[in-house]
Amino acid sequence: MTDAFFPSDDDAGFDEDGFDAACLRATIDLGAIKANWLEMQRLSGRARTAAVVKANAYGMGIEPVAETLYAAGARDFFVATAQEGAELRPFAPDARIFVLSGLWPGLEPVFFDYELVPVINSEEQLAFFMGLLAEHGEYPCALHVDTGMTRLGLSPEEALALADDPARPASFSPVLVMSHLACADTPDHPLNARQLALFRQVTEAFDGVEASLANSAGVHLGPDYHFDLTRPGIATYGGQAVNGATNAMVPVVTAEARILQIRAAKAGESVSYGAAAVLARDSRIAIVGAGYADGFHRSGSSAGVPLRGALEQGAHGVLHGRRVPQIGRITMDLTMFDVTDVPGARAGDYVELFGPNLSITQAAAAAGTIDYELLTSLGHRFDRLYLDPED
Ligand SMILES: *Cc1c(COP(=O)(O)O)cnc(C)c1O
């Protein structure tokens, strides 16, 4: 039975953690993450480069990624929540960890215990933080100013008023003033220059305080946007930062799932829920053990989902070096691919969902989304294998 199920003894070996036998496997190249981060550092010129490791390091795993980037020299880290900061601390022992969502009543012990730096986003957070300073004395913080994103941040007017406030306590000493670009992925968008001009006003008012504006795409906008610290996230993980540009980053993740069964089906028969895909020819259909619960988004289904009205092509996989189209609706745990044109296809084979042969940008586009969402959706059922930078 084993021989029939697994293509060869070589492929069938069970390694210590069962990776070779996993139904879903993700190979994450830490060397690529390191190389990409170093490239963003090079592109950042004189500015320092932070490591953005929110959302479990964009789904790639906070521990191995943080260890890799810390070893590569990162000493400034950004996370979204205090919980993420606490999780990160052991892997970035003496680094500055900025918490983008800021500090709320009840979270002070986490910030103090793990020495997290709150990003102050609003007048409410500022008032609460000032109260803490009065009670506990000096503590670092970052100030986030909204220059055009209409998301988190003090307004430029609020920030300028704060800079000029004579009643500002001496213990209030922000270590960073930051803002976030809304359209950096579209280099000629006029909002970029408007945000830059507003941010300059604010940084001038906070003379002597370090400043940070650029995410991955912002780094590509050039030195005017770099200030003292850049914050590239997606580029570190091999994603597309600038719309339409060639992506020079090294791919980081290969996501694969096994064929569990191959079905012969006749022309005219339908595949999957809703019978939305009707076969035009006699076909061999591979049933693969990955679905939308694993981050293989249902919106990428070849048929039977609203997106197919707007985008012609659904998702694909790669099997034995050939692109195979996904067929019918993607389900929670299973996805069907048409492997009629891959005669050697058999149960036990792995289909690449994205990786070196199918970029995350292409895979994301087929599901109507972006690299960021594809990476951060990579499900818990994937067995993750890390390739060390030295390998
Ligand atoms: C996520 C995030 C980044 C990183 O953005 P990328 O586009 O992934 O490079 C930088 N700054 C802030 C405030 C963020 O939320």
Side-chain angles (χ1 to χ4, degrees), residues 123-134:
E123 292 282 15
E124 290 95 324
Q125 289 190 338
L126 184 64
F128 177 65
F129 186 71
M130 291 293 197
L132 278 182
L133 290 182

Side-chain angles (χ1 to χ4, degrees), residues 40 52 54 58 78 100 144 151 178-181 213-218 231-237 240-241 372:
M40 293 315 283
V52 181
K54 60 192 182 184
Y58 286 49
F78 284 85
L100 290 165
H144 190 177
R151 205 173 63 170
M178 59 173 279
S179 189
H180 191 53
L181 296 163
L213 177 63
N215 62 346
S216 301
R231 310 188 304 270
I234 194 70
T236 309
Y237 305 102
Q240 171 99 324
Y372 299 73

Side-chain angles (χ1 to χ4, degrees), residues 78 176-179 199 210-214 227-231:
F78 284 85
L176 189 73
V177 182
M178 59 173 279
S179 189
F199 189 57
E210 290 199 334
S212 174
L213 177 63
F227 292 88
D228 301 298
L229 182 70
T230 60
R231 310 188 304 270

Side-chain angles (χ1 to χ4, degrees), residues 142-220:
L143 280 184
H144 190 177
V145 183
D146 189 321
T147 53
M149 178 82 179
T150 313
R151 205 173 63 170
L152 289 177
L154 297 169
S155 70
E157 296 73 28
E158 288 169 337
L160 293 173
L162 176 66
D164 289 342
D165 184 358
R168 212 172 93 178
S171 58
F172 178 73
S173 51
V175 296
L176 189 73
V177 182
M178 59 173 279
S179 189
H180 191 53
L181 296 163
C183 303
D185 59 359
T186 312
D188 53 6
H189 198 291
L191 188 51
N192 291 323
R194 286 213 298 277
Q195 287 195 260
L196 178 62
L198 268 176
F199 189 57
R200 281 220 172 103
Q201 282 183 34
V202 175
T203 57
E204 278 158 22
F206 285 94
D207 193 26
V209 179
E210 290 199 334
S212 174
L213 177 63
N215 62 346
S216 301
V219 169
H220 289 279

